[in-house]
Each structure stands twice: as C-alpha cells, then as structure tokens.
C-alpha cells in the first residue's frame, strides 16, 4: 500500500521560519517532491530529493531521509504570498509512474 | 505562451452525460498525465501516456478514457458522468529523463 502523511494545517508569522514534515510508506521510491498550490491554481514544483540530505533553493530547503521515510520542507523569511497548500509527493516508479500525493498542508501566514 | 493548457476551465453538466476535457502542451514533453483533485484537495494520478503507451491507475473506472491525437495533446473523455466525478482535473507533462512535472491550470467539473 501507500501512505503519505503531512499535517493538515499550520500557521506561521511573516518573517519567521516554518518546517512542514512529511512521512511516507510506499511500495517503491524514485524521488520525493514538494509542490506549492495556491487556492484555485495548479500545483507548482518547489523541490526534488532522491538522495538523503538537504537541498537548498533560495528561501526554500527540502530534506530527505530514505531510511526513516521522512522529509521536510523548510521555508525561511516567510512572506504573505507563501500562504498556500504544500503538497508532499512520492514518485514510486512503475505503474502509471505518476506522483502519489499527500493530502497537503495548508499554511497560513499571519502578519 | 502557456506551457500546459486545458479547456474548458469550468464544466457544468448533468449526470449521465458524456464530456471531454482537452489538454495541450507546447513543451515537447514525452509523457502526459491526468490527475483528479477531489473536494478534499486530495490529488490522485489517473493515467500516464508516453509514446502511444497508456498506463491506467487501477482505481479509475472504465468510463474514463484518455485519447492522444498527437504528442502535444492528451484529452480526457468521460462517459455516463456521475456525481462523484465532480472534481478538478489536472493535466501534467514531463520530459523523458527529467523528474519535474508541469501542471496545467485545471478543469473544474461539476456534475449535477
């Protein structure tokens, strides 16, 4: 089976740092993705991890531990426009070879 | 230029009807996908299509049939629409040997 868990909702303050966690149990693993989705819009790609460790891209960083089935997305210097849903997804490979998504974390940024 | 486009953006129809959603990409990508996002915002893969090979997620009813007239298009046909088909449908594309998927703007389907 496949299971990807992330918190439903988080709240953070403008200018602060927030970490969104994701745990996964999937039949295969060929990379972990983070996507951002604003309400009523398409998901947009943020990051990709296939090896253990931290990937940094500007204000966003993503970490992966394959042995623990764990990832997090770290957002620094939060801005109001960062209010969105953040989707953790695993590419399992095989089958339809699409992405298996978690239910998303709705991040609310307060002034 | 929009990389991945979908038409229509909104579609309201009655139960039992047959409808189609179109997806077009100008990225030259090799693989195209259809995803369904339900009312709880849960995004699930439905199909992938690469080089005339269609791979279907086992949970998708056979009322759904993707059709690809050429490499730039993957359209979704839905027969005998049901209330539970109401959702936002996203098309996505990926280049071979790349990992990033690019999503279209979505089509909100409402079945009444």
């Amino acid at each position: 089976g496949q299971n990807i868990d992330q918190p439903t909702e988080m709240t953070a303050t403008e200018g602060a740092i927030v970490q969104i966690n994701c745990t996964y149990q999937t039949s295969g693993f060929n990379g972990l993705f983070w996507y951002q989705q604003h309400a009523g819009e398409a998901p947009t790609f943020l990051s990709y991890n296939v090896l253990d460790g931290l990937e940094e891209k500007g204000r966003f960083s993503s970490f992966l531990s394959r042995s623990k089935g764990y990832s997090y997305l770290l957002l620094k210097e939060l801005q109001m426009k960062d209010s969105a849903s953040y989707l953790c997804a695993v590419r399992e490979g095989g089958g339809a070879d699409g992405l298996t998504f978690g239910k998303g974390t709705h991040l609310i940024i307060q002034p | 230029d929009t990389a991945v486009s979908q038409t229509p953006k909104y579609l309201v129809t009655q139960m039992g009807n047959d409808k189609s959603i179109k997806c077009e990409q100008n990225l030259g990508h090799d693989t195209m996908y259809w995803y369904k996002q339900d009312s709880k915002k849960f995004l699930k893969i439905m199909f992938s299509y690469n080089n005339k090979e269609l791979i279907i997620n086992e949970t998708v009813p056979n009322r759904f049939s993707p059709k690809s007239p050429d490499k730039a298009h993957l359209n979704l046909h839905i027969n005998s629409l049901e209330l539970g088909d109401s959702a936002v449908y996203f098309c996505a594309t990926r280049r071979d040997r790349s990992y990033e998927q690019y999503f279209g703007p979505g089509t909100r389907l409402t079945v009444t």
Side-chain angles (χ1 to χ4, degrees):
Chain A
Q2 53 207 25
N3 192 30
I4 300 177
D5 287 321
Q6 48 182 132
T8 302
E9 187 173 286
M10 298 182 70
T11 302
T13 304
E14 190 176 14
I17 299 172
V18 70
Q19 177 175 311
I20 303 174
N21 296 324
C22 171
T23 58
Y24 65 91
Q25 289 180 306
T26 55
S27 54
F29 183 82
N30 198 16
L32 187 138
F33 298 75
W34 285 95
Y35 276 79
Q36 181 191 59
Q37 187 177 26
H38 285 99
E41 297 183 10
T44 55
F45 171 81
L46 290 178
S47 70
Y48 169 72
N49 296 69
V50 67
L51 300 176
D52 291 352
L54 189 68
E55 295 283 341
E56 297 185 80
K57 189 188 291 186
R59 295 189 299 114
F60 294 73
S61 302
S62 57
F63 172 83
L64 174 67
S65 169
R66 288 172 296 169
S67 62
K68 295 181 179 177
Y70 169 69
S71 173
Y72 67 73
L73 179 69
L74 192 71
L75 293 80
K76 303 176 185 176
E77 301 170 15
L78 286 168
Q79 302 174 9
M80 297 303 292
K81 67 178 182 179
D82 296 330
S83 292
S85 286
Y86 291 85
L87 310 176
C88 175
V90 171
R91 184 183 180 193
E92 297 185 58
D97 195 30
L99 298 177
T100 301
F101 282 87
K103 295 188 176 182
T105 298
H106 184 210
L107 177 64
I108 300 167
I109 309 299
Q110 296 177 333
Chain B
D1 269 352
T2 304
V4 185
S5 60
Q6 295 179 227
T7 54
K9 187 169 177 64
Y10 299 96
L11 179 58
V12 181
T13 188
Q14 292 184 327
M15 285 174 56
N17 285 349
D18 303 336
K19 291 293 180 185
S20 295
I21 304 171
K22 296 184 178 181
C23 176
E24 177 179 2
Q25 56 111 351
N26 62 8
L27 298 168
H29 285 180
D30 309 280
T31 301
M32 298 183 72
Y33 305 85
W34 277 106
Y35 287 84
K36 177 181 179 181
Q37 189 169 42
D38 61 25
S39 58
K40 297 181 179 178
K41 309 300 182 188
F42 196 19
L43 197 60
K44 293 186 73 173
I45 180 72
M46 298 178 72
F47 305 97
S48 69
Y49 192 90
N50 181 306
N51 194 26
K52 299 185 179 180
E53 180 183 8
L54 174 68
I55 301 174
I56 301 171
N57 184 305
E58 60 192 12
T59 64
V60 176
N62 58 15
R63 298 182 294 105
F64 290 79
S65 55
K67 290 184 169 54
S68 180
D70 54 58
K71 191 177 175 183
H73 296 84
L74 183 65
N75 303 325
L76 184 63
H77 300 273
I78 315 170
N79 295 326
S80 303
L81 279 156
E82 301 178 356
L83 292 177
D85 298 333
S86 295
V88 181
Y89 291 85
F90 287 99
C91 175
T93 70
R94 181 179 64 83
R95 186 186 303 278
D96 277 356
R97 294 179 296 280
S98 175
Y99 50 80
E100 184 176 346
Q101 291 188 21
Y102 293 79
F103 284 78
T107 296
R108 180 174 292 278
L109 171 66
T110 303
V111 182
T112 62

